[in-house]
Amino acid sequence: MNCAIGYPRWTPRAFAVTVRQAVRFLGVAALLTTGNSSEAGEPGSAPPPDIDFNRVIRPILSENCYKCHSPDDGARKSSLRFDLRTEALKPAKSGRIAIAPGAPEKSELVSRITTSDPEKRMPPKSTGKKLAAAQIAALRLWIGKGAVYAPHWAYVRPVRPALPKLRDENWPHNEIDRFILSRLERERLQPSAPADRYTLIRRVSLDLTGLPPTPAEVDAFVKDPNPAAYERLVDHLLQQETFGEHWARMWLDLARYADSAGYADDPPRNIWAFRDYVIRSLNANKPFNRFTIEQLAGDLFPDPTDEDRVATAFHRNTMTNNEGGTDDEEFRNAAVVDRVNTTMAVWMGTSMACAQCHHHKYDPFSQQEYFRLFAILNNTQDADRSDEMPIKKLYTPAQKEQLARAQAESWQLEQNFGLLTPESLAQLRDWEAEFPLALLWQYALERVSRPLTSAEETAQYANPPPAILELIQQPSPVLTDDQQAILSTWYRSHVAPELRPQQDRYAQLQSEIDAIKPNTVPVMRDLEGEKRRKTHVQLRGNFLALGEEVTEAVPAIFHPLPGGTPPNRLALAYWLVDENNPLTGRVTANRFWEQIFGIGIVRTSEDFGSQGDLPTHPELLDWLASEFVSSGWNVKALLKLMVTSATYCQSSRVTPELLERDPDNLLLARGPRFRMTAEEVRDQALFVSGLLSGKMFGPPVRPPQPSSGLTAAFGGSLDWKTSEGEDRYRRAVYVEWRRTNPYPSLSTFDAPNREVCALRRPRSNTPLQALVTLNDPVYIEAAQALGRRMEQASGSSADKAIFGFRLCLAHAPRERELTRLLEFYKAARSEYEGQPEKAEHLATDPLGPAPEGADLPALAAWTTVGNVLLNLDETLMRP
C-alpha cells in the first residue's frame, strides 16, 4: 500500500523546474558551454562556478539514470550504479569508465548523453526522457571539476544557519523574513506591500481556526491603535478551542482516520476517541515529540494513562477485511505494511513502499532494511479481527461515578453474603440437612409463574453454577472449610429467604452495571513471550514467500535506535524525535509551512528523497527545523512565528511581473492566496449563516447528503439518516468518514477517502464544486439562514447587504459591488412577490418555517443574495 499523494511527484513541469534551477544556480553561460571543463578553465577565461551536487547533479541523475543504475541490484543494468561515487568510477568490463573525474572527454557518461546514435544515446529512447542542453552542460562541468559527490541533503542533520545580511534591514519582522528577503534581493525583487487589516484578520483567523472573524472582531482589530494588536490577535486565536478542530484535519489525513474499516464491506468502526485525542492534544499544545511517542507507543510507557492508550489508535486506523473467505494473516500483514509506509512518510517524508518488494530504485533502502523496520511493528495483538480487539473501554465521568457507586454497593452486599458467622453456618447446616433440590424447587417456584416439571428445570431457574451443584450433592462432612464458605456464600446470595431483599438489590445492581455501556477504541498492545512473531523478508512482497529471518532495526543511512532499550515501537518513536534525526524536524516544519503558505519549502512534502523537489529556501528550512526542535517541539510557537512574519502579512495582489517571474509564488514576493480546504468551505458557510454548532467531541454526525440508493459490496447502505438537532450543523471534522463513500461535498473539494495516509491534498477547480455550493442542501440552508440574518439586521436594504457581505468577507463591499447586490435583491424580490409559493419554498426548505410575520418575498430575495455571497471567488479563497 502506498501513501496517497496529491499528484505525481515528477511531471513535465517538475522536469522544467529542474532545468530552471540549474540555470539559476550555475549561470546560463556556464551551462550552455559546448566545451569541456579544461576549456572552461583555460587561462584568461572566467573560472567555472562551483557545482552543488544536491541541487544540480543529483536531480538529473535521479530522474534520468537511477531507474537502471541504482541501489536495486535486481533491476540494475550493466552492473553500473550512479548513486555511489565509488561504483560510478569503476571501469566496466569493456574497460570504459562512466565517470572519469576531471576528464569529461574520457567519461562514457558524457559520450552516451551526447552521441547522435539513437541506439547508444542515454537515457534510452524507450524511457521518453531526453536531457536538456543545460543538464548536459552541468554534467560536463561537474565531471570536469572532479565529479564530487555529497550526501543527500535531507539525510544530513540540519545545522542552524547564520541569519543572512540584508540591504534592507527595516522590512523583516522576524528571522523568517531575513531568509525570504535575502533571496528576493538576490533575485532583484521587492516584497509586496502589507495586506490591509481586513484581509489580515480574515487570513489569520481562517489559518489558525478554520473560521472567519465576526464583524465585531474585525472592527475591534481594525480600530486598535496598539502596535501589538496583531500579535495579541494571533495569541487569542491560538488559544481558541476551534484551533484544535481546524488543525486536526491535517493530522487525521496523515493518520488515515475513518469511521469505517474499509475494503468491500466497509463496516463501521468505533474509533472517534482518537479524533478527539488529536483535537485535545493540539489545543493543549502538546509538544510534538510527546504527541509522536504517544501515538506510536503510548501503551509501552511504564504506567500508561487512558490518553496514552487511546493515542495508539493512530496505527489502528489501518483497514481490516472481514469479508467471508478472506485470510486474516494476509490482511494483518497488509496492515503492518501500511504502518511501515505511513510511519516513514509522516515523520520522515520518505517513501519506503518500493523496498517492500525489492531494493529501492532511488533511495538507499534495501529490502532487508524494510523488513527490519517491519519487524518493529510486527508484534502487536491485533490480527484483522472483526471485534477490533484489543480495545480500550472508555467511560464518561458520569458513567464512572455511576459505575463506582453501583460497584461499591455490590461489594458491600458480597461481603454480607460471604459472612461466616455461627448463625450463617447454622443456617447452612439446616439447609444441608434437608434435600437441597427441594429448597431449590421452592426458590425457583417463587420466581417463575408456572409449575416446574423436574429437578433439572428447577436447578436451571435457580441457576446454580456447576461447581455449586457439585458441592450441593456432596455430604457436608466431606466438604473443606473453603468449600463450606463457597457454598454458604452462594446459599446466602441466592436461596436464603431472610436475605431476599439483599438478593434482589444485588441483582438490580448487576443489571445497572451491565447497562453502563462504555465507548471503546481499538488500541495497540504488544504480544509477549512465545506469542511474539518472527519476521522474514517477503520475496517480491508476498507474505507467503518467506526469505531470510531478520531482526528489528532502522535503515543504516540514519542514526541507530537508542541503545540500552528493546528495539520496539517505543524505541522507534524516540528514534523519530531524536536530535540526531535529520528529517523529522524538517518534514514537520515544512508541513506546517505548506498549510500556512499554500506550498512547502520542499514542494513534494511527501518525499524528501532523491525523487523529491529541492527546497526553495534550504537555509530557512534548516533554521525552522532547528528552531522547532530547540523550542521543545512547540507547534503553536512555530505557527506564531510564521503568521507574524512580514512575509505572511504581505498583500496577495499579483502583478504581471511577479506572475511572469514567479507564477507559483515560490519566492514569496507576495502573500499566499489559495482555495480553502473542503472542511473550511463547509464550516465557513455554516458559521456566517449562524447555523454552526460549537458542540465538540463525541460520535460522528451525519449532515444532509444526497441519497444514492447504493450499498457497499457485501455491506450496508451507503445512504444515512440525517442527524437531528445541532448535530446536523457541527463542524466537518465530526462528520462521519466512511471510506467507500466519503461525504460527497467534502470529496468534491478534494478531501481524500483515507484508505491510506493522505500526505498532501491537491487543490482542484471543477464545475462540480460550484454545483455543490450552489445546490447542495447544506449550502441552500446556509444561504437561507444568511438571508434571514440580513433581513433581520437593522437599517436600509443597503445596510443589510453590507452586513451580509461583511459576515462573509470581513470588509465592506465597494460601491460597485453594493450596487449590483442591491439591484439583484430588488429584481429577485419583485419576482417572488408575484410567486408567493415559490418564495415560501425558497425561504423555508430545508431550513424550516419562517419567523412569524416574516416578509416571505424579502426572505427569498435575501436567500438568493446569500447564495451569491457564499459562492463568490473571494469567499472560497483564503485571502
Side-chain angles (χ1 to χ4, degrees), residues 178-196:
R178 301 190 68 86
F179 292 99
I180 296 297
L181 184 57
S182 175
R183 178 67 183 278
L184 291 177
E185 288 181 345
R186 293 201 306 270
E187 299 286 343
R188 298 183 179 180
L189 290 172
Q190 293 291 326
S192 296
D196 64 76

Side-chain angles (χ1 to χ4, degrees), residues 603-721:
R603 296 200 300 174
T604 51
S605 54
E606 73 283 354
D607 191 355
F608 275 54
S610 60
Q611 284 291 93
D613 280 4
L614 297 167
T616 56
H617 298 76
E619 294 82 9
L620 172 59
L621 180 61
D622 282 3
W623 188 90
L624 285 171
S626 60
E627 177 71 13
F628 183 41
V629 175
S630 65
S631 73
W633 302 85
N634 189 321
V635 169
K636 289 187 177 181
L638 179 66
L639 290 173
K640 180 178 178 179
L641 193 67
M642 292 178 184
V643 301
T644 55
S645 66
T647 305
Y648 177 84
C649 294
Q650 294 177 100
S651 167
S652 59
R653 183 175 179 272
V654 59
T655 64
E657 179 191 7
L658 284 179
L659 189 61
E660 172 64 26
R661 291 282 304 276
D662 186 17
D664 296 327
N665 199 26
L666 299 179
L667 300 176
L668 290 166
R670 61 183 185 273
R673 184 177 187 269
F674 46 87
R675 199 208 70 218
M676 293 186 291
T677 64
E679 290 86 347
E680 287 176 287
V681 171
R682 177 183 179 275
D683 291 349
Q684 176 183 240
L686 294 177
F687 181 80
V688 301
S689 69
L691 292 175
L692 186 68
S693 166
K695 181 180 176 182
M696 298 180 70
F697 309 126
V701 297
R702 296 176 167 185
Q705 71 168 354
S707 296
S708 65
L710 301 175
T711 59
F714 314 108
S717 172
L718 297 181
D719 297 329
W720 64 32
K721 180 182 178 183

Side-chain angles (χ1 to χ4, degrees), residues 472-548:
I472 291 174
Q473 295 171 9
Q474 294 184 29
S476 178
V478 305
L479 297 179
T480 66
D481 291 344
D482 287 343
Q483 289 173 325
Q484 288 276 11
I486 292 170
L487 188 56
S488 173
T489 298
W490 185 85
Y491 164 75
R492 289 171 59 79
S493 61
H494 289 80
V495 177
E498 68 275 11
L499 296 178
R500 185 63 45 76
Q502 293 93 323
Q503 294 165 7
D504 291 343
R505 177 57 180 161
Y506 185 79
Q508 181 184 359
L509 288 170
Q510 296 309 301
S511 296
E512 290 179 7
I513 291 172
D514 292 342
I516 301 173
K517 301 298 182 185
N519 177 38
T520 61
V521 59
V523 295
M524 301 291 272
R525 191 175 297 151
D526 265 6
L527 293 169
E528 301 289 345
E530 295 181 355
K531 293 183 178 180
R532 291 183 65 81
R533 304 180 184 95
K534 294 182 178 180
T535 298
H536 296 258
V537 172
Q538 296 175 10
L539 306 180
R540 302 300 301 173
N542 184 347
F543 81 106
L544 295 175
L546 301 182
E548 63 178 297

